[in-house]
Amino acid sequence: ELKDDFFSNVFSFIFGGEQTSHWLVQPVGIAVSSTGKLYITDPGASGIHIIDQTEKEYDFINETDEGNFRSPVGCAISDDGTIFISDSERGDILALDDDNDVLFQIKEHLVRPTGIQIHDNRLYITDTGQHKIVVFDLDGKYITEFGQRGDGVGEFNFPVQLAVRDSLMVLDAVNYRVQKFNLAGNFSSTFGKLGNVAGRFASPKAIALDSDGNMY
């Protein structure tokens, strides 16, 4: 009851009235559109939470023309407003328009897509099941891929997320490290290993870069 009361109060404060909502169960990915819509992937709830901060509206979607979401993980939005959602259990990526209708599906070359980042009209995806990075253009056309399972340079052991700016930073989760590549997929450097002190990782989940190049 405490949880329900707390979230009801939060939604009432934000939206100014009662809202029918699905509580966050296992929020993983997040993206904000240019129109102020906040998209949160929630594999625990098998759907996407959408908060329109301008119109003060809430929506939750778990059904599409291509079937129900099962385990949506990654979320990214292109400059033209297309929303890309990866579903690790379905093994695909759905491209949605602003009305949440499916524009197209990306399925070939993918097994368990998780993290998504958009940079320079390219879609970079961590495929955790294949232990590699797969790259498409924003129309869903396959471009390239790199990586294989292992603990050597340029190899991955369950990569889960990535961050892209002038370079590509991959969170190589079960190797407990971050690997840096150029945008063509050539290895540059790495840091981190298993541990619980500064500079080491115990259970890394996500990675991000700010505009100054600082890594989180």
Side-chain angles (χ1 to χ4, degrees):
E1 290 181 3
L2 177 61
K3 177 181 177 181
D4 287 350
D5 288 345
F6 172 77
F7 280 109
S8 294
N9 290 335
V10 169
F11 271 83
S12 293
F13 176 76
I14 294 174
F15 300 115
E18 286 295 321
Q19 296 289 322
T20 300
S21 56
H22 294 69
W23 308 132
L24 298 174
V25 178
Q26 188 187 5
V28 176
I30 187 167
V32 183
S33 74
S34 60
T35 59
K37 286 187 178 180
L38 183 67
Y39 294 81
I40 305 169
T41 58
D42 190 340
S46 300
I48 315 298
H49 305 272
I50 305 172
I51 299 173
D52 190 326
Q53 301 175 86
T54 302
E55 299 297 328
K56 294 187 177 183
E57 295 177 347
Y58 169 86
D59 196 9
F60 178 83
I61 58 170
N62 63 354
E63 298 179 357
T64 76
D65 292 339
E66 295 292 340
N68 293 356
F69 285 113
R70 297 177 187 171
S71 183
V73 176
C75 183
I77 303 175
S78 65
D79 289 341
D80 69 357
T82 301
I83 303 108
F84 294 89
I85 305 290
S86 66
D87 193 306
S88 63
E89 189 173 330
R90 287 170 50 111
D92 65 1
I93 292 171
L94 294 182
L96 310 177
D97 62 19
D98 192 53
D99 294 321
N100 306 321
D101 294 323
V102 177
L103 298 172
F104 57 88
Q105 177 192 47
I106 306 173
K107 194 169 183 66
E108 292 186 2
H109 302 281
L110 298 174
V111 174
R112 290 187 70 86
T114 48
I116 300 179
Q117 285 279 290
I118 294 174
H119 179 76
D120 197 22
N121 294 316
R122 290 192 173 190
L123 193 65
Y124 294 84
I125 298 133
T126 50
D127 193 314
T128 304
Q130 295 190 92
H131 311 278
K132 63 178 57 175
I133 306 302
V134 188
V135 185
F136 297 86
D137 68 17
L138 296 186
D139 293 320
K141 181 180 177 181
Y142 171 80
I143 296 176
T144 188
E145 61 187 60
F146 63 91
Q148 61 182 13
R149 190 170 191 179
D151 58 8
V153 167
E155 297 178 333
F156 304 110
N157 195 11
F158 296 98
V160 292
Q161 294 285 348
L162 73 169
V164 188
R165 284 190 182 273
D166 295 332
S167 57
L168 178 66
M169 313 296 293
V170 180
L171 186 57
D172 188 8
V174 187
N175 280 328
Y176 306 97
R177 66 185 180 185
V178 173
Q179 295 196 73
K180 180 179 180 180
F181 301 84
N182 67 17
L183 296 181
N186 299 311
F187 174 81
S188 175
S189 61
T190 185
F191 71 88
K193 57 183 177 180
L194 179 61
N196 60 2
V197 297
R200 299 190 181 188
F201 302 108
S203 182
K205 300 295 185 184
I207 185 171
L209 299 171
D210 67 17
S211 57
D212 293 324
N214 296 310
M215 187 185 308
Y216 300 85

